[in-house]
Amino acid sequence: MSNTTLAPTYGPLPIPVKELLPWAIFAGLLCLLAIYFVGAEEGATSMISGMYVHEWVHDGRHLLGFPCH
């Protein structure tokens, strides 16, 4: 009887940058949009009239340290 054991060899897998780049750009743009709405959607730079967006993200503004009043 043989005592030979075959152990699989694992190596690092390459990261497919060409496949991940569009998703990374999309996620980055979503993050920038979220930061804009939480941090700057008020007053002169407002894209949406009224205080609806401000009230919706009000607590998030305080949590992230943005001044609002």
Side-chain angles (χ1 to χ4, degrees):
M1 200 173 247
S2 174
N3 290 335
T4 305
T5 304
L6 296 177
T9 57
Y10 296 106
L13 296 175
I15 297 174
V17 176
K18 287 184 179 181
E19 294 178 19
L20 293 178
L21 188 60
W23 291 105
I25 291 172
F26 178 67
L29 289 174
L30 283 179
C31 288
L32 286 175
L33 187 66
I35 288 173
Y36 169 76
F37 275 113
V38 171
E41 178 62 28
E42 178 181 24
T45 62
S46 180
M47 291 177 12
I48 300 171
S49 63
M51 295 294 291
Y52 299 111
V53 174
H54 173 81
E55 293 300 327
W56 189 60
V57 296
H58 186 86
D59 293 336
R61 292 175 64 92
H62 290 296
L63 180 67
L64 295 174
F66 288 101
C68 67
H69 47 132

